Amino acid sequence: MSGTAVHGLLVDGETRCEHYSGPLDVIALQFACCREWYPCHLCHQEVADHDARQWSKDARSTEAVLCGVCGAMLTIADYLEVSACPTCTAGFNPGCRLHHRLYFD
């Protein structure tokens, strides 16, 4: 993984956390509210001292998604279109789509 500091209740070096630790749970997200990186919304809720805020639709070109396997940064738009890292082909958890509304407008 890259040298990006990921906050939260991490369980390994590929950004898996206490809440999501399956083989495909390998992304971290930069939160719009604080510009800090977390593996999930629950980690942000437990560790940050403020409420989360979603990225607006006009911020889709922002690199706010980190592949925990290779450290590649993805724009929000690119992340929303793929099921695996375009750099290292590590698969992303398809269940994360159920939580997109927590991160992105």
Side-chain angles (χ1 to χ4, degrees):
M1 187 177 70
S2 75
T4 303
V6 178
H7 307 283
L9 307 173
L10 296 172
V11 296
D12 73 12
E14 292 186 341
T15 72
R16 291 178 189 89
C17 67
E18 262 185 27
H19 309 104
Y20 299 100
S21 58
L24 300 179
D25 294 315
V26 293
I27 64 151
L29 298 131
Q30 185 183 53
F31 277 68
C33 48
C34 58
R35 302 297 199 262
E36 297 288 342
W37 295 87
Y38 291 88
C40 77
H41 62 100
L42 296 170
C43 281
H44 183 275
Q45 182 178 357
E46 290 185 35
V47 175
D49 61 357
H50 58 273
D51 291 334
R53 187 169 44 90
Q54 293 81 16
W55 289 100
S56 65
K57 285 191 179 184
D58 64 347
R60 295 283 166 99
S61 63
T62 304
E63 287 185 332
V65 181
L66 170 72
C67 174
V69 176
C70 72
M73 299 282 191
L74 288 76
T75 66
I76 295 166
D78 288 343
Y79 171 68
L80 293 174
E81 296 296 321
V82 300
S83 60
C85 177
T87 301
C88 73
T89 70
F92 298 150
N93 187 337
C96 290
R97 294 192 183 284
L98 300 173
H99 301 133
H100 283 177
R101 74 190 188 303
L102 299 172
Y103 307 107
F104 318 115
D105 277 341

